[in-house]
Amino acid sequence: MKPTTDLCDANEDKIAAGTLRVVEPMFKAWGKSSAFAGQAHTLKVFEDNTLVRTALEQPGHGKVLVIDGGGSKRCALVGGNLGVLADKNGWAGIVVYGCVRDTLELNACTVGIRALDAHPMKSQKRGAGHENIAVALGHTVVRPGDWVYVDEDGVLVSDQALI
């Protein structure tokens, strides 16, 4: 994968057209993969990670799980067990507009993870939320099937795969 800086430089026309979007800086990094990319599989949940587990139990096929947790910092949506599931099932990465926990365990996982922060409390288990719908990472919309590119410099979302 090319660095996100190079992708931005090579695709200024797509940024101007809105087909390549730069997510505002807000994420901290966990996991061994500092850079990852793949098509988005989206979830919209709020303080409930039931659908997160369900998604990560499925084969990831190199996709990036994008979780719109509403920006909540009152509990974690991803923890160590889910990081292990993501590794085992072939997910390229996880981006959480919310929090994670078990950060030492997450750092042992191969999968790349970005989230707003760490929080020690687990989420509720109500089974609420939506899968494969347009979601938001701050002010940036991510649709199922969009391409997500992540590295040390930031997060990009593209309507199409970038070369």
Side-chain angles (χ1 to χ4, degrees):
M1 180 185 106
K2 287 185 182 177
T4 56
T5 52
D6 291 349
L7 291 172
C8 284
D9 292 351
N11 293 283
E12 290 178 352
D13 58 327
K14 291 179 175 70
I15 293 171
T19 60
L20 173 59
R21 300 167 298 285
V22 180
V23 178
E24 65 227 58
M26 65 178 113
F27 294 111
K28 296 179 181 179
W30 290 275
K32 290 183 181 177
S33 295
S34 62
F36 56 93
Q39 282 191 285
H41 181 96
T42 62
L43 296 176
K44 183 168 181 63
V45 299
F46 189 73
E47 298 178 358
D48 179 345
N49 76 344
T50 307
L51 291 181
V52 177
R53 174 175 288 283
T54 300
L56 292 173
E57 287 174 340
Q58 305 306 311
H61 302 292
K63 291 185 177 181
V64 175
L65 184 62
V66 178
I67 305 165
D68 177 354
S72 173
K73 291 187 173 184
R74 298 190 310 187
C75 67
L77 295 173
V78 174
N81 291 336
L82 296 184
V84 170
L85 266 180
D87 270 353
K88 176 181 146 192
N89 291 320
W91 291 85
I94 305 169
V95 179
V96 186
Y97 188 51
C99 291
V100 297
R101 68 188 215 152
D102 303 320
T103 58
L104 294 177
E105 293 174 37
L106 292 178
N107 282 335
C109 295
T110 302
V111 68
I113 301 164
R114 295 294 186 280
L116 297 178
D117 220 327
H119 195 292
M121 195 167 79
K122 67 181 178 179
S123 76
Q124 298 177 13
K125 309 285 191 266
R126 298 180 314 268
H130 302 281
E131 186 172 24
N132 282 323
I133 63 167
V135 299
L137 297 177
H139 300 292
T140 304
V141 174
V142 182
R143 293 172 194 85
D146 280 353
W147 287 84
V148 180
Y149 299 87
V150 180
D151 68 11
E152 300 84 353
D153 289 315
V155 178
L156 305 178
V157 179
S158 177
D159 292 355
Q160 299 175 338
L162 302 174
I163 297 173

